[in-house]
Amino acid sequence: PFSNDKTALKAAINNLQPENWTAAYTGMKWGVALLDPSAQPVVNKLIQQGNLSSEFTGWPRSWTAGRTRKILVLMSDGRNTIQYRPNADGYASQTPDYWNETGFPSYWLEKAIDNENDGKGDDYLEDICDAAKASSNAIIYTVGFELQTSADAAAALSNCASSPSTAYLVEGVNIDLAFANIAAQIENLKLTR
């Protein structure tokens, strides 16, 4: 969850595998949680275990620490949909190593969110984004990729962004331009602080 190793981060991103469902609210929840100072005990434990460099001591810094700017980038390629999680029986009876080797047998899974029918995923995303904007000085960028057929997903991402200028709706190779623009804006912030 924390790293300053560019090569390792790129490798982790390149190893991500797409699945059939979308849960932007879960990504946003983790993004905010990993920037929140309340995660310091987790970071300290990782340092003590030798799993993280001591350079991260005191991280995540407070939301208002001097010369600190927290930035979240949330990307989605679709509308929040049905989410499945391990049910209690399956979760308690097998190890993560078993799951990695075999995948999740279907009887282990239970439906957690059905956004297509009840809209809860969009509500959760809105709540998390609103809380992050109200309680922090973080800048939230959103990138909606190929959402031309999903006005709901485009609206949810645009509403999550800090401002209209930090919300991107892109198609095809324009995704590269969106991320280049975000990087340029972050660099400008860095230079002006």
Side-chain angles (χ1 to χ4, degrees):
F2 298 93
S3 178
N4 59 358
D5 183 334
K6 187 176 179 180
T7 302
L9 288 168
K10 284 187 171 188
I13 291 168
N14 288 335
N15 286 328
L16 291 173
Q17 295 297 314
E19 294 186 16
N20 295 330
W21 311 107
T22 299
Y25 57 90
T26 301
M28 186 63 181
K29 176 187 79 168
W30 276 102
V32 172
L34 293 174
L35 289 180
D36 193 276
S38 64
Q40 284 182 3
V42 174
V43 172
N44 292 338
K45 182 81 168 186
L46 290 169
I47 293 168
Q48 290 169 2
Q49 293 172 338
N51 294 320
L52 189 61
S53 167
S54 62
E55 293 176 62
F56 285 91
T57 300
W59 286 55
R61 307 254 189 260
S62 88
W63 290 106
T64 57
R67 301 187 55 84
T68 297
R69 179 58 104 185
K70 299 191 183 206
I71 297 168
L72 289 140
V73 180
L74 176 66
M75 186 190 112
S76 182
D77 65 352
R79 185 170 185 237
N80 287 308
T81 56
I82 297 171
Q83 295 300 302
Y84 291 88
R85 297 289 181 259
N87 66 34
D89 295 336
Y91 193 84
S93 65
Q94 299 295 337
T95 66
D97 289 336
Y98 179 82
W99 297 337
N100 291 338
E101 292 169 10
T102 65
F104 288 105
S106 60
Y107 64 86
W108 280 10
L109 301 175
E110 62 183 353
K111 185 168 62 173
I113 297 282
D114 184 355
N115 190 74
E116 293 174 325
N117 294 322
D118 62 24
K120 284 186 181 175
D122 290 342
D123 292 342
Y124 292 157
L125 178 61
E126 183 178 0
D127 290 347
I128 295 164
C129 295
D130 287 349
K133 288 186 273 190
S135 65
S136 74
N137 64 353
I139 298 174
I140 302 170
Y141 291 91
T142 60
V143 179
F145 182 61
E146 298 190 349
L147 298 179
Q148 68 273 20
T149 60
S150 183
D152 290 342
L157 285 175
S158 294
N159 291 336
C160 181
S162 291
S163 70
S165 67
T166 63
Y168 295 84
L169 298 175
V170 297
E171 304 295 322
V173 296
N174 288 331
I175 194 166
D176 291 339
L177 297 173
F179 281 104
N181 195 353
I182 291 169
Q185 289 180 43
I186 292 170
E187 186 62 26
N188 285 338
L189 285 171
K190 189 175 171 185
L191 293 172
T192 60
R193 300 257 331 151

